[in-house]
Every structure is written in structure tokens, then in C-alpha cells.
Amino acid sequence: MSGGGRIRRLLGGLSRPQGAARVVPPSGSTAHLTVLTAGAMAFLAVFALALSLASGRLADRWSEALARTATVRISAPEAQLEAQTRAVLAILDTTPGIETARALDAAEMRGALEPWFGPDLPIETLPLPQLVEIIESPERPFDAEGLRLRLAAEVPGAVLDDHTRWRRPLVEAAGRIRLLGLMALGLIGAAMAGLITLAAQAALAANGQVIRVLRLVGARDTFIARAFVRRFTSRGFVGALVGTACGMGAVAALPAADAAGGFLTGLGFAGLHWLWPLAIPPLAAIVAYIATRQAALRMLKGIR
Amino acid sequence: MIELESVAMSYGGGELLSDMTLRLLPGSFHFLTGPSGAGKTTFLKLCYGELMPSAGRLTLFGQDLRDMSRDDIAALRSRIGVVHQDCQFLDHLPLIENVALPLTVAGQAANTTELRELLGWVGLWSQRGALPPQLSGGERQRAALARAVIRAPEVILADEPTGNIDWEMSLRLLKLLVELNRMGKTIVIATHDLNLIRTTKAQVAARVLRIQNRRLHLAGADL
Ligand SMILES: Nc1ncnc2c1ncn2[C@@H]1O[C@H](COP(=O)(O)OP(=O)(O)OP(=O)(O)O)[C@@H](O)[C@H]1O
Ligand SMILES: [Mg+2]
């Protein structure tokens, strides 16, 4: 048997009623609508998932890259600058959580300022602040607030700039975007449950006479519900399968993230994250199952 | 089997049936007559739990209908076979699957030999693949009877089972019902057909119930 035939048979088995499910007549338009809805929702869910995972990665990267460095800026009259620098270094030496602290020399300062002021800046003659670069120890963070207080008390010209001021909003923004992505996922799931419920209710209403006959010959509610639930579950699954495949294809076709890549080119799945979207079709099937079952059992209450 | 104690029924307006008291004993054979619109179908619907009495007590196989769950009622319908006046088929399934439907919904497979015998017996084996809308009224009624008996119920309620069929076929169906009664089944047939009643009374001890002026009467021996 050919591979195509096998797949056709597999999908056919999922979407074509067999056995007991035959008691409900085929319903063309709601069937197609359900498959389409599930497909579209799965497609959107792939993007929402990509957004959440990418912003999660971004937040991790930003907080990791920026968390470990800080700077102390010492502004003082030239005569005191060296003494104050030494005092700052002494303090930093005894501060727990700091791996290295190093005063930048004139060449480094020039290097840092060159992009802004050009190579000819007479750096020696300018009243520039002295910069001390701090690298946090990876095991434990230093207490920035404590250090700031201590510097203020002992070296009035020294100011700690630990980057949290501008790092935090960025990390927060990334976290917020991740949250929005997760909310979008939840909303997509809820919308799908709603649409499938409506489609199931339409199918149930259209088959009122069928349900009546089934009750009259002694069918239990669970039997009747199952006939509908099977259909909608398999339609939800098949639709979501196609939608997920399309969504994953579309994400894969996005321009690759490079080192200089900003946020947009980072939208995608990395490594094992590619496995996440595979959960969408089974979840869609579960959503369809619950939505249809609830709708069916609720509707059956009215028919003795 | 079926016990009514001062049962009344109304569809929301005035009472259609009032103060009906009756015990249908196992193995009994009853006809139900009355003018059109008197409430014969309504009475039968009460007996298989499609309707709830608006007053009184209705006991089916020893269980009060009020205390029965939806699954209890589903189970009840395997013990009571019903020929509905309007037949009630699934129009998208061929006749043979409609007749086997009570087995299908119970998760049982139909025995092909038995199915063939049953359909042959109501004269429908050659029509087994036809969809219900393609059948004549009489064919549908015969199919409905076949479906009513397929799960070997203890009680058979038939609502005008001979309404659309010729006398010869009526007698054939009657013969089946009489045979089933001799096997110990309880039979109730709603009908207008006095000839049918007379013919039956010659064969079994059938009694006649009559609905008149909202009451259920046991008709005299004049029938
Ligand atoms: N679902 C319903 N809602 C309201 N009224 C109903 C309903 N079903 C039946 N009726 C009314 O109840 C009365 C009795 O109906 P029923 O079908 O029991 O009569 P019947 O004796 O079987 O008549 P026939 O011999 O014509 O079959 C009729 O007047 C009918 O209009
Ligand atoms: Mg009637």
C-alpha cells in the first residue's frame, strides 16, 4: 500500500464517521467550518507561541548580559581624583559579590569616547570623571543599594551606575510581551472553544429529529453525545494539524535571526522549542471534545 | 408492569386525560380505542416515559417514573418496544440499519440471520437497502414493528400499527403480535379498526380500553 493511501486512510478514519457515529447524518457546512476554524486558530496559536517563547528568550538574554556589569563614576577635582579612585577600589575590593573592579585608564576612556567625539579629543586636559568597571561574581549578586549608600558616605564624588535603571524596563517589557503572547494563546483557545460550541449547537439543533429517534429506541445520552463528540474532536484535530503545520512552515520561513538581529528577526523557535507547537493539535482536539460534549449533554437534557 | 394510579396529563392547557387508574399485567393483550384526538398517543407516550404525568403516580416495572434518571428511561426502552404512529426513522440510514438501531445504540451487533428472518417476516427483506423516505406508509409501519420487537421487549406498545396497510398485511402483523403475546409479552395496540379487534378477540383474550371524555374505560363485551 502506498504511503499516500495510508495517510488518506488514517485521516479518513479520523474524520469519516464509522460504526455508531453513522447514526448522525453527515453535515457538510458545519464540518468544513469546524475544520477551518480549528486550522485558523492553530495557525494563530503557533505565532502567539513563537512570540511568547522569543520574548522569553530575549528577556533572559537581556537580564543575563546586563546584570553582571556595573560602573562607578567618580567626579572630583583633579587633585583628589586619584585618592578617591583608590578609596573606591578599596571599598569594592571588600564588597561581597564583586568579582573584579578596575579603573579604566586614559586609553580605554579615549576608546569609549571616540565614537562620540572623534580621535583627536585632548582627553588629558578635560575634567572627565574616572570610571571604574565592576564585574559581578556569577555566584551571587552584590547589594547595589548598600554599595550606593556606602559610596555616598565614604567617597562623595562616586556614583554607582548598575544599569538596572534602564535594564529593568527592557526586561519588564520583554516579560510583558511574553505574558501577552500567553494571553493570546488563552484567548485563541477560548475563541476556538466558543466557535466549536456554536458549530456543535448548530449541528445538534439541525439533528433534533435524529436525537429524538435515538432516545426513543433507547440510546443513552452518552451514546448520542459520543456520536457528535467524535466528529467534532476529529475535525478539530485535523484542522489544527493542518493549521499548525502551516504556522510552523511560516515561522520557519521568517528571516533568520543573526547576531545583530533585533527583536523581529528573533521571532521564531529555537532548538527544542520547535516541539512546543506539536502540542497544539492534541490540545485543539481536547478543547473540541470538551466543548462538544458540554453542548451535547446540555442540549439532550431537553429531550426525553 | 405498567401501573397508573390516578394519572392525569395536560399539555399546559386543560387536562387531556384525567384520573386514569390501570394495571397492565404481564402477558395481557389490550386494545386502546377512542376518537381521534382523545389522547391515545398521549397515553402510550406516558407508558414509555416520553411524557411525565401532570398528576398521579406512574410505575413502570416497579419503578416510579418520577424517580427514573435519563439513563433509566433509556434502559426502560429496551424493555418496551414501541411502534410509533409516525414511525420515527433515521432518514439517512437504510431500512435494515433502522430496524437494527435499538441494538446499535445498545452497542450490540445484529445477528444477520435473525435480522433476515425478522425482515422476511414483515415482508421487507428485499427492501432492506431502501431509505425510509423511499418506502410506502405501510412498509414503514411494518419496519417500525420489526424495530419494536428486535430487542425482545417484555411490553409492546403499537400506535395504529395497521393504519396504512391492507387487510391481509394487517392480519399478518396481528398474527405476529398474537404470537408474541402467546410467548408472554404484554401488548397494547391503539387502533380505530374494529374489525381488527374482533378478529383478535377470536384468537386471544384481548380486552378493550376506551378513552372517552378524558377518562379511561374498560369497554364492555359488545366488542
Ligand atoms: N406536544 C403536544 N402539545 C400540545 N398538545 C398536544 C401535543 N401532542 C398532542 N396534543 C394534543 O393532545 C390531544 C390528543 O392527542 P393524541 O395524539 O394523544 O390523540 P390520539 O388519540 O392519538 O389521536 P389520533 O387517533 O388522531 O392519533 C390532541 O388534541 C392534540 O392536539
Ligand atoms: Mg394518535
Side-chain angles (χ1 to χ4, degrees):
Chain A
M1 185 178 164
S2 75
R6 201 173 309 133
I7 284 168
R8 219 172 11 254
R9 206 177 55 162
L10 174 72
L11 290 180
L14 285 170
S15 58
R16 204 185 313 122
Q18 353 161 265
R22 267 174 59 76
V23 299
V24 181
S27 48
S29 66
T30 49
H32 296 141
L33 270 177
T34 313
V35 174
L36 183 71
T37 301
M41 291 296 169
F43 189 82
L44 295 176
V46 171
F47 281 93
L49 192 61
L51 185 69
S52 309
L53 291 173
S55 49
R57 279 199 306 275
L58 202 63
D60 289 349
R61 205 157 59 219
W62 279 342
S63 43
E64 201 176 302
L66 300 171
R68 294 192 54 217
T69 61
T71 316
V72 175
R73 192 160 24 92
I74 307 159
S75 316
E78 187 131 15
Q80 293 167 28
L81 196 57
E82 218 181 296
Q84 289 209 1
T85 303
R86 247 181 284 119
V88 166
L89 286 174
I91 291 171
L92 292 177
D93 250 0
T94 60
T95 306
I98 290 181
E99 194 162 75
T100 58
R102 193 173 58 82
L104 298 188
D105 58 27
E108 285 173 304
M109 295 284 282
R110 190 194 302 279
L113 294 175
E114 209 178 72
W116 279 273
F117 301 105
D120 300 329
L121 190 69
I123 203 165
E124 290 76 11
T125 65
L126 285 172
L128 283 176
Q130 173 66 51
L131 295 180
V132 176
E133 186 191 79
I134 298 171
I135 295 180
E136 197 176 66
S137 88
E139 290 86 44
R140 52 178 298 198
F142 67 89
D143 168 16
E145 224 28 61
L147 180 60
R148 193 168 281 130
L149 289 173
R150 200 166 157 212
L151 287 173
E154 295 182 26
V155 192
V159 178
L160 173 69
D161 181 0
D162 67 353
H163 303 165
T164 36
R165 233 178 337 136
W166 61 276
R167 182 182 79 216
R168 192 171 292 146
L170 280 181
V171 173
E172 255 173 32
R176 207 62 74 70
I177 290 171
R178 170 195 239 164
L179 195 68
L180 282 177
L182 292 176
M183 270 172 60
L185 273 178
L187 288 175
I188 288 168
M192 193 171 104
L195 285 168
I196 289 183
T197 300
L198 285 178
Q201 278 172 351
L204 289 160
N207 287 302
Q209 178 57 19
V210 169
I211 293 171
R212 212 177 100 81
V213 172
L214 291 173
R215 276 299 295 177
L216 286 176
V217 299
R220 290 156 146 255
D221 287 353
T222 45
F223 175 91
I224 301 170
R226 202 158 56 227
F228 287 92
V229 164
R230 267 168 79 139
R231 281 193 185 191
F232 280 88
T233 305
S234 57
R235 283 172 198 161
F237 182 75
V238 169
L241 203 63
V242 174
T244 303
C246 292
M248 286 172 76
V251 168
L254 287 174
D258 53 22
F263 176 71
L264 272 176
T265 55
L267 185 64
F269 297 108
L272 285 179
H273 283 175
W274 278 104
L275 295 178
W276 278 86
L278 298 183
I280 292 174
L283 281 175
I286 292 171
V287 166
Y289 174 86
I290 295 173
T292 315
R293 196 178 155 82
Q294 294 301 320
L297 292 181
R298 210 168 33 239
M299 195 265 195
L300 283 167
K301 292 268 181 295
I303 297 175
R304 285 173 66 81
Chain B
M1 315 220 104
I2 298 180
E3 256 184 271
L4 294 87
E5 260 179 71
S6 313
V7 166
M9 177 63 209
S10 78
Y11 282 110
E15 269 183 8
L16 175 67
L17 298 168
S18 310
D19 198 25
M20 299 187 295
T21 299
L22 176 74
R23 285 181 74 178
L24 286 183
L25 295 175
S28 61
F29 198 123
H30 285 91
F31 283 101
L32 182 63
T33 61
S36 178
K40 300 182 294 295
T41 300
T42 305
F43 174 85
L44 294 179
K45 282 183 176 172
L46 286 167
C47 292
Y48 61 84
E50 187 180 348
L51 292 175
M52 274 283 197
S54 45
R57 225 169 104 89
L58 177 51
T59 314
L60 302 168
F61 299 102
Q63 208 179 353
D64 192 327
L65 182 59
R66 264 169 228 291
D67 302 333
M68 292 173 83
S69 69
R70 295 180 56 78
D71 282 354
D72 289 340
I73 288 176
L76 171 76
R77 290 179 184 162
S78 69
R79 305 178 75 180
I80 301 181
V82 184
V83 180
H84 302 274
Q85 191 168 10
D86 43 4
C87 294
Q88 307 279 7
F89 291 117
L90 296 182
D91 288 347
H92 66 286
L93 290 185
L95 176 74
I96 189 165
E97 286 188 52
N98 265 292
V99 168
L101 197 58
L103 296 174
T104 309
V105 301
Q108 298 169 11
N111 177 325
T112 324
T113 338
E114 275 175 28
L115 206 50
R116 185 181 183 135
E117 202 174 312
L118 183 61
L119 282 180
W121 196 80
V122 291
L124 286 176
W125 177 249
S126 60
Q127 311 265 59
R128 64 190 175 278
L131 296 178
Q134 301 164 348
L135 298 173
S136 76
E139 287 165 341
R140 287 159 64 88
Q141 276 179 325
R142 278 138 63 194
L145 182 60
R147 187 182 69 183
V149 300
I150 198 164
R151 282 185 81 183
E154 293 154 65
V155 178
I156 294 156
L157 307 177
D159 198 351
E160 313 265 9
T162 58
N164 283 316
I165 54 189
D166 57 61
W167 180 242
E168 211 168 314
M169 184 53 79
S170 297
L171 287 182
R172 223 162 118 186
L173 291 193
L174 185 68
K175 194 161 161 262
L176 166 66
L177 289 165
V178 168
E179 261 172 44
L180 288 165
N181 179 245
R182 289 198 177 123
M183 286 161 61
K185 316 277 185 198
T186 310
I187 313 274
V188 180
I189 303 173
T191 185
H192 292 289
D193 191 341
L194 298 186
N195 277 334
L196 191 72
I197 299 179
R198 286 197 195 98
T199 311
T200 312
K201 288 189 101 172
Q203 303 175 34
V204 289
R207 306 184 81 181
V208 178
L209 299 164
R210 186 169 175 80
I211 300 178
Q212 204 159 27
N213 301 325
R214 305 185 302 166
R215 306 280 168 142
L216 194 62
H217 305 276
L218 200 55
D222 56 315
L223 279 162

